[in-house]
Amino acid sequence: MKEEQIFQIAIDGPSGAGKSTIAQQVAKLLGIDYIDTGAMYRAIGYKILERKINLDHTEEVIDLLGKTDIDFSKGNIILDGEIVNDQIRTPEVTKMASMCSALPEVRAMLVALQRKMGQAKSVVMDGRDIGTNVLTDARYKFFMTASAQERAERRYEELVAKGQNVNFDAVLADIIKRDHDDSTRALNPLKRAEDAIELDTTGMSITEVTEKIIKEIRKNGNC
C-alpha cells in the first residue's frame, strides 16, 4: 500500500459497547489490520497480576514494561511470545487493565507503540482515547456507546459462553464503575473526540453497526 493510501480508523467508547467486535469486522471487510489496544492493556494487567507486582512500586512497573513485548498475529495477541487470548479476558484482568491504563508509564509505552503501528500501515484501532490522544489525525473517528444494561448483558453472555461463573449484577456494577473511572480519570479520560461520529448501538446488531461504519468510510473513497 502506498503512503498516500494509508488511513486510520479510530473507534472509541465505554466498556462493553462492542468496539472490538465491530473493529475486527471493519478491518476484515476493508482488508486492513486490527489493533486491539484494550487487549494490550489487558496483557500488561495480566503480566502484573502474574508477577504479583504492586502498582504503587513505580520502579518495578517500569522494569516490567522494559522487559515486555506485545504483538498481534493472525487475530492473536502475543505477550512475550505466548498467545494469551483467553487469559486476559477474566474479570480480575479487566479490573487490573483499567488500573494500569491510568498509569503514565504504561500509557506512554503502549501509546508510542500504537502510534508507530498507525504510521506504518492502514489500521483500525479501538479503545478509550484513540481519537482524542493516540491517533488524533485519524481520517475516520467513531464513538460507540450503548446503555449500561445492554453492555452488561453482552459482557455477561460472553463470560458465560467461556465457561466462567459470573453474577450479572456484579458484571453490571463493574460496567458502571468502569464508566465512572474511565470518564473521570485525570489522564486522557474517556470522551468523544469533537470530530468523531457517535453511534448508539443499543438494540443494533453487529451487522447493522458494521455496515453503518463501512458506509461512512466508503463515502470518502476508501473501500
Side-chain angles (χ1 to χ4, degrees):
M1 179 174 289
K2 298 179 180 179
E3 184 176 354
E4 63 268 24
Q5 295 178 304
I6 291 176
F7 63 95
Q8 301 78 36
I9 303 170
I11 301 179
D12 290 313
S15 176
K19 302 183 300 297
S20 296
T21 299
I22 298 302
Q24 290 178 63
Q25 290 296 313
V26 170
K28 182 178 180 180
L29 288 172
L30 296 179
I32 61 179
D33 287 332
Y34 165 61
I35 308 299
D36 186 348
T37 62
M40 295 171 75
Y41 285 99
R42 287 173 179 273
I44 294 294
Y46 169 71
K47 187 170 181 177
I48 285 176
L49 284 172
E50 287 291 294
R51 300 293 179 85
K52 296 180 171 60
I53 291 177
N54 188 327
L55 292 183
D56 292 329
H57 296 168
T58 304
E59 290 185 2
E60 289 186 30
V61 173
I62 293 176
D63 182 64
L64 176 135
L65 294 175
K67 300 175 181 176
T68 298
D69 179 63
I70 299 175
D71 197 5
F72 293 89
S73 178
K74 299 179 180 179
N76 298 312
I77 181 166
I78 304 170
L79 172 65
D80 299 330
E82 176 189 0
I83 295 176
V84 292
N85 297 348
D86 295 331
Q87 295 94 313
I88 65 171
R89 298 295 175 181
T90 67
E92 293 77 16
V93 171
T94 295
K95 291 180 181 179
M96 180 57 73
S98 184
M99 294 170 65
C100 288
S101 69
L103 296 178
E105 298 82 8
V106 174
R107 297 196 69 81
M109 172 205 173
L110 295 187
V111 168
L113 180 56
Q114 292 156 11
R115 286 173 177 161
K116 185 177 180 180
M117 292 176 178
Q119 292 170 354
K121 57 188 176 181
S122 292
V123 297
V124 180
M125 287 193 193
D126 72 283
R128 302 289 191 276
D129 64 345
I130 307 305
T132 57
N133 179 52
V134 181
L135 300 177
T136 56
D137 294 327
R139 188 178 304 178
Y140 306 103
K141 297 180 183 180
F142 300 92
F143 188 86
M144 288 177 51
T145 187
S147 67
Q149 178 76 20
E150 179 155 333
R151 286 185 285 127
E153 290 174 356
R154 294 173 182 173
R155 180 59 53 81
Y156 176 78
E157 291 174 359
E158 175 187 347
L159 294 173
V160 169
K162 292 181 178 180
Q164 296 184 26
N165 184 21
V166 291
N167 176 273
F168 175 77
D169 289 337
V171 174
L172 177 59
D174 182 61
I175 287 283
I176 294 173
K177 183 179 185 302
R178 290 195 70 190
D179 284 353
H180 177 268
D181 291 346
D182 289 338
S183 300
T184 59
R185 70 186 182 209
L187 184 65
N188 298 318
L190 167 68
K191 63 179 181 179
R192 181 179 70 84
E194 292 184 359
D195 54 346
I197 296 173
E198 184 165 346
L199 297 175
D200 186 340
T201 67
T202 302
M204 294 180 68
S205 68
I206 293 173
T207 299
E208 288 173 331
V209 179
T210 302
E211 289 179 347
K212 196 173 185 66
I213 291 177
I214 293 294
K215 181 179 180 180
E216 187 65 31
I217 293 171
R218 284 178 173 162
K219 278 169 50 179
N220 290 276
N222 291 107
C223 57

